[in-house]
């Protein structure tokens, strides 16, 4: 195996024996083959000039395949093998529809057994591209597309789709097979991936807010009640809605975990009496927190950490793109319904959650809410009460070096405000950072995809202050990344013209020195240093 798609990759180079995330070599290789198969489909669609609008469910199956390979989403080899078989069948059907063309091996190879899959996988992974810069750009695009696919799937689940996004995914995946493309052309495609990143996040924002209302300022309870309960993790709000509907009146409470915390901010979910609040912290603390939660856990997407005990594993359920061997996976039926009754029945037999925290945390500062407070915010900036905003969106992770973000938040001058989104927030969202004239010093917009809200806010402020360039605003970007959704968020910000983004705790291993140089020269991308130096630099 060779995988370097996430920030925790072994020795900042690549996982080669087993994933730091817990992914086995076999799972990693099968994921590589799944991606290769999707590339083959993309080439058939592109060369055969098939219209994405006419492909129906195939579009969903393609984005779902990409989503399955995101870090910490799916560890289940059998599920990945089944997805490969499904995608090979789709590929061959599509190939039958196009006029004969000379096609890449990805569009024609055959495998039958698991063994032959693994044999093939060993020849088509990341390292199959020899040129380091081309490999780096191909992977940067592919990881951006994985993030895009995840957001497109959430929007799809809410009934919103944009065929232009699907068409772009086919074009870009096919381009990663094309040996005639120069590094310059791939840089151009990387930027275009960012443009589509903005589109997909806007689509998901529209899907979420049109169905569940605009997130609003909310005090979220982080304590517990005495009832049996279910914990729901991941990013899919349609699963949240289903779970709340199905647990209503059953005596079983529901708590959010990690990236599901922002569900608490949506008006549509507030009507459920059994929706208690949030339990625990970012994904990587789940090993201890699931032990003390006692009830069943439903993963709707990433991030799963391999459970240490059989007891906890027996309480974990997965749905959507997520999966873990030995954990029950709940699929939607033909009508799109999911039956969570087994989870509810199990919850009733288990003890209520153990208290690990008490009190509340405040969030819900997505674009609509912040723009409702725009006058107050603008006045605070004009009066000098707020000197600077720090966008600290992104992901959290288990590396000790991420303590940097807690320290950074603590040491920021008191006249600054943090704008956050994604699970990166758990590094500082429980600190007593206070407020500025009633504006909290940490404004949480929501999940990682809600970084879109932070861009909308920045563009609005640019307009209000009559500036020509978003980089003239008093906003600094200090972003933490971990998995591939953060890659699409980063590319989206670059496409909006945001410069001088600091990315940490380490730069991606998949960026070659030449690609890093392009990002530094064109966009002023930088890593992080010491907290003191960085604060001095940002506030200079
Ligand atoms: Fe390693 Fe990250 Fe890939 Fe897991 S996802 S195998 S930790 S690089
Ligand atoms: Fe977190 Fe996994 Fe990225 Fe959606 S839950 S931000 S890491």
């Amino acid at each position: 195996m060779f995988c370097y798609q996430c920030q925790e990759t072994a020795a900042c180079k690549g996982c080669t024996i087993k994933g730091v995330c817990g992914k086995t070599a076999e799972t990693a290789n099968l994921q590589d083959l799944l991606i290769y198969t999707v590339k083959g489909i993309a080439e058939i669609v592109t060369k055969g000039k098939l219209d994405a609008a006419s492909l129906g469910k195939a579009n969903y199956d393609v984005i779902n395949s990409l989503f399955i390979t995101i870090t910490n989403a799916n560890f289940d080899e059998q599920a990945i093998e089944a997805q490969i078989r499904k995608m090979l069948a789709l590929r061959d059907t599509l190939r039958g529809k196009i006029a004969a063309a000379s096609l890449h091996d990805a569009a024609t190879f055959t495998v039958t057994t698991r063994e032959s899959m693994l044999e093939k996988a060993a020849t088509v992974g990341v390292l199959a591209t020899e040129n380091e810069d081309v490999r780096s750009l191909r992977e940067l695009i592919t990881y951006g597309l994985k993030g895009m696919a995840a957001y497109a799937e959430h929007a799809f689940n809410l009934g919103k789709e944009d065929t232009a996004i699907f068409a772009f995914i086919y074009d870009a995946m096919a381009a990663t097979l094309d040996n005639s493309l120069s590094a310059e052309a791939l840089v151009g495609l990387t930027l275009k991936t960012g443009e589509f990143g903005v589109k997909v996040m806007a689509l998901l924002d529209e899907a979420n807010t049109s169905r569940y209302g605009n997130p609003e300022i909310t005090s979220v309870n982080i304590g517990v009640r005495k009832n049996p309960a279910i914990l729901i993790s991941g990013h899919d709000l349609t699963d949240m809605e289903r779970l709340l509907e199905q647990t209503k009146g059953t005596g079983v409470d529901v708590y959010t975990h990690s990236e599901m915390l922002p569900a608490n901010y949506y008006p549509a979910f507030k009507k459920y009496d059994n929706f208690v609040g949030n339990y625990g912290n970012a994904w990587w603390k789940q090993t201890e927190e699931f032990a003390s939660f006692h009830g069943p856990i439903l993963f709707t997407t990433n991030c799963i950490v391999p459970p240490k005990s059989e007891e906890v594993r027996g309480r974990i359920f997965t749905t959507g793109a997520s999966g873990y061997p030995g954990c029950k996976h709940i699929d939607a039926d033909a009508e799109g319904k999911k039956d969570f009754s087994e989870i509810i029945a199990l919850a009733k037999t288990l003890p209520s959650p153990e208290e690990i925290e008490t009190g509340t945390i405040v969030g819900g500062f997505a674009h609509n809410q912040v723009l409702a407070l725009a006058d107050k915010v603008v006045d605070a900036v004009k009066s000098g009460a707020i000197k600077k905003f720090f966008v600290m969106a992104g992901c959290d992770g288990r590396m000790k070096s991420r303590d940097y973000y807690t320290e950074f938040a603590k040491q920021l001058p008191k006249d600054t405000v943090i704008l956050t989104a994604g699970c990166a927030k758990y590094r500082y969202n429980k600190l007593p950072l206070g407020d500025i004239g009633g504006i909290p010093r940490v404004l949480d917009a929501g999940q990682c995809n809600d970084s879109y809200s932070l861009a909308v806010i920045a563009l609005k402020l640019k307009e209000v202050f009559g500036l020509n360039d978003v980089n003239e605003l008093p906003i600094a970007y200090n972003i933490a990344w971990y998995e591939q959704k953060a890659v699409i968020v980063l590319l989206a910000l670059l496409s909006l013209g945001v410069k001088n983004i600091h990315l940490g705790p380490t730069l991606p291993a998949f960026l070659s020195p030449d690609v890093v140089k392009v990002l530094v020269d064109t966009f002023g991308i930088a890593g992080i240093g010491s907290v003191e130096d960085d604060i001095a630099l940002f506030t200079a």
Side-chain angles (χ1 to χ4, degrees), residues 22-24 26-31 34 68-70 72-84 114 304 306 313 316-331:
K23 190 160 77 176
T24 63
E26 196 154 325
T27 307
N29 291 333
L30 289 172
Q31 289 184 351
L34 180 55
I68 282 173
T69 69
I70 277 189
N72 294 342
N74 201 317
F75 295 81
D76 186 349
E77 283 153 26
Q78 279 180 20
I80 298 163
E81 178 181 331
Q83 188 73 9
I84 293 171
R114 168 80 70 97
I304 301 174
R313 186 198 291 227
I316 294 179
F317 294 77
T318 61
T319 188
S322 68
Y324 196 84
C327 297
K328 174 90 187 259
H329 185 81
I330 299 174
D331 263 328

Side-chain angles (χ1 to χ4, degrees), residues 221-223 231-234 255-262 277-290 292-293 297 299 302-303 305 354-358 360-361 395-398 406 422-431:
N221 171 34
I222 56 173
L231 191 60
I232 175 168
S233 192
Y255 295 77
T256 54
H257 170 255
S258 192
E259 271 286 72
M260 198 55 92
L261 159 65
N278 191 69
Y279 190 85
N281 293 278
W283 63 272
W284 58 278
K285 290 197 171 165
Q286 66 188 248
T287 315
E288 300 96 74
E289 292 174 351
F290 288 0
S292 61
F293 184 75
I297 300 118
F299 272 103
N302 57 325
C303 275
V305 176
E354 218 166 291
E355 183 178 278
I356 52 171
E357 292 171 303
T358 54
T360 56
I361 46 175
C395 310
D396 197 8
R398 55 200 134 194
T406 309
C423 63
K425 65 168 93 37
Y426 286 99
R427 287 279 165 179
Y428 39 78
N429 69 344
K430 293 169 185 171
L431 297 176

Side-chain angles (χ1 to χ4, degrees), residues 1-10 13-16 18-24 28 31 69-72 75 143 398 482-484:
M1 72 172 282
F2 182 84
C3 182
Y4 63 175
Q5 67 175 354
C6 85
Q7 189 272 325
E8 292 184 1
T9 193
K13 288 201 164 68
C15 297
T16 54
K18 187 182 185 214
V20 172
C21 57
K23 190 160 77 176
T24 63
Q31 289 184 351
T69 69
I70 277 189
T71 301
N72 294 342
F75 295 81
Y143 304 152
R398 55 200 134 194
Y482 171 59
E483 37 80 50
Q484 298 76 51

Side-chain angles (χ1 to χ4, degrees), residues 97-170:
K97 287 187 181 170
I98 67 167
S102 96
L103 292 170
H104 191 280
D105 170 68
T108 59
F109 77 93
T110 53
V111 283
T112 46
T113 58
R114 168 80 70 97
E115 213 180 11
S116 61
M117 285 185 183
L118 291 171
E119 218 172 278
K120 182 72 188 172
T123 66
V124 301
V126 171
L127 299 176
T129 303
E130 280 168 19
N131 180 297
E132 192 191 13
D133 296 328
V134 172
R135 184 197 307 147
S136 175
L137 290 162
R138 283 180 176 176
E139 295 309 314
L140 175 57
I141 292 164
T142 305
Y143 304 152
L145 295 174
K146 289 186 183 192
M148 189 184 299
Y151 295 155
E153 183 167 321
H154 292 305
F156 184 95
N157 291 345
L158 284 156
K160 301 267 184 214
E161 51 184 297
D162 177 352
T163 26
I165 293 172
F166 296 136
F168 176 73
I169 292 176
Y170 291 119

